[in-house]
Amino acid sequence: MSKAKKNAPEVATVRRAKNGTAITIFFTVLSVVWILPILLVLLNSFKRKAFIFRNPFGISMVPMSKGWAAWSQGVKTCLVGLLNYKNAIAKTGFFRCFGYSLFITVGSVLVIVLCTSMTAWYVVRVKNTATKIIYTLCLFSMIVPFQMVMFTLSKFANILHLSNPLGIIVVYLGFGAGLAIFMFTGFVKSVPLEIEEAAMIDGCTPIQTYFQVVFPILRPTAITVAILEAMWVWNDYLLPSLVLNVNKYKTIPIAIQYLKQSHGQIDWGAMMAALVLSILPIVIFYMAAQKYIIEGVIAGAVKG
């Protein structure tokens, strides 16, 4: 055996190690790029307006070369900056808006998961022209830009009296159904039909079969859909601003927008603090449930 063939495994190992290092460096840099704006928002939420514009990347606008006095002034600036959070909560009515956002998000996610999972199960198991049309329309809804229907949607929402937290849940069901049905359909195709037939033989009705047999099996995809839809609904600004009666019901994104005063004046300190308060719940939720996203996507990645 030649020396080149003997060294081939070592060369391949070295190449894989180099490739792995390069990939790690690339994704580390990419992560920093994505995280940096969030860190800047957090940092500037403890500053006064003048400090935000003069030194957005520093702790305070006082140069570090001035020694301990500069650090002391920086600490005082951060402590004073805590008033930004108080002003943000007071000016936006944060807790009231938080309640509306939480109600709309939880309600929309529950309705989307329940209705779309049942629809996907029906589409897969009942194969006829009607189910094919339903599935095609659901996929088509993912392609149509929201801007094409938003003015018509706003008009019909007023006519149908959907300009309230309960009504907008129906609207979110319509816009969130496409992706959810697509994901659920891929997973239902992997569920053996024999399991459902056995439940039918034991005397289960179709509804009982779904809730007692099918839905527990769909749990990984259901959790994934719930996470994705929750992040979308919680952060959405455009749809609530078009549908809701904003004089009575304000979600957190809408309330933050109202921090903009007349003549374009903005309390940037309170704005940054409000953004941190709005980001924090969904970040915590995502970090606690992120592993289920990968599990659900992999579980639904099957061929029909």
Side-chain angles (χ1 to χ4, degrees):
M1 183 181 295
S2 63
K3 183 181 293 185
K5 291 183 178 181
K6 290 181 179 180
N7 295 332
E10 296 179 1
V11 173
T13 302
V14 172
R15 288 180 179 176
R16 284 195 296 267
K18 291 182 178 179
N19 292 336
T21 303
I23 293 173
T24 301
I25 294 173
F26 171 76
F27 282 107
T28 300
V29 174
L30 188 63
S31 300
V32 172
V33 171
W34 281 102
I35 295 174
L36 183 60
I38 300 176
L39 294 179
L40 287 178
V41 171
L42 178 61
L43 180 64
N44 288 304
S45 67
F46 290 92
K47 299 179 184 178
R48 293 177 179 176
K49 182 177 180 179
F51 291 7
I52 293 175
F53 285 100
R54 295 183 185 182
N55 190 14
F57 298 98
I59 296 177
S60 71
M61 73 175 190
V62 183
M64 292 180 60
S65 59
K66 292 185 178 180
W68 172 252
W71 283 104
S72 177
Q73 182 63 32
V75 172
K76 291 179 181 179
T77 301
C78 292
L79 293 176
V80 173
L82 290 173
L83 293 175
N84 291 334
Y85 286 87
K86 180 180 179 181
N87 293 335
I89 293 173
K91 291 181 179 180
T92 61
F94 181 81
F95 295 110
R96 182 181 179 88
C97 297
F98 180 86
Y100 286 133
S101 291
L102 184 64
F103 175 81
I104 293 172
T105 301
V106 174
S108 299
V109 169
L110 290 177
V111 171
I112 289 173
V113 170
L114 179 62
C115 294
T116 57
S117 61
M118 295 179 71
T119 302
W121 180 55
Y122 181 80
V123 166
V124 172
R125 296 303 184 222
V126 182
K127 296 181 180 180
N128 54 34
T129 304
T131 56
K132 290 180 181 179
I133 293 175
I134 293 173
Y135 184 66
T136 302
L137 291 176
C138 289
L139 295 181
F140 182 73
S141 67
M142 298 171 58
I143 303 173
V144 177
F146 176 75
Q147 290 77 7
M148 291 181 61
V149 298
M150 63 181 187
F151 294 110
T152 306
L153 170 66
S154 178
K155 182 69 174 179
F156 276 95
N158 291 328
I159 294 174
L160 298 175
H161 304 287
L162 299 178
S163 303
N164 55 75
L166 283 175
I168 198 173
I169 290 176
V170 178
V171 179
Y172 273 121
L173 172 62
F175 282 99
L179 176 63
I181 289 177
F182 176 75
M183 295 184 66
F184 276 120
T185 300
F187 190 87
V188 172
K189 290 178 180 179
S190 67
V191 178
L193 183 60
E194 290 78 9
I195 298 177
E196 300 171 30
E197 292 176 345
M200 293 289 189
I201 293 173
D202 290 338
C204 290
T205 63
I207 297 297
Q208 290 175 330
T209 301
Y210 172 76
F211 283 104
Q212 296 179 13
V213 178
V214 178
F215 190 75
I217 299 176
L218 297 179
R219 182 183 175 186
T221 302
I223 294 175
T224 302
V225 171
I227 295 170
L228 297 177
E229 300 292 352
M231 291 191 296
W232 165 52
V233 176
W234 180 269
N235 295 316
D236 190 27
Y237 168 79
L238 185 56
L239 191 56
S241 66
L242 290 173
V243 175
L244 287 178
N245 182 355
V246 294
N247 293 324
K248 293 183 179 180
Y249 314 106
K250 291 186 181 73
T251 59
I252 291 178
I254 295 177
I256 293 175
Q257 178 66 19
Y258 270 70
L259 286 174
K260 183 183 294 184
Q261 302 171 3
S262 60
H263 305 291
Q265 297 180 356
I266 302 175
D267 185 351
W268 285 105
M271 176 77 78
M272 296 294 176
L275 288 173
V276 172
L277 292 174
S278 66
I279 292 171
L280 192 59
I282 201 66
V283 168
I284 294 174
F285 171 72
Y286 178 80
M287 291 178 65
Q290 61 178 332
K291 65 178 182 179
Y292 297 107
I293 295 181
I294 304 300
E295 293 179 1
V297 172
I298 294 175
V302 297
K303 295 183 179 180

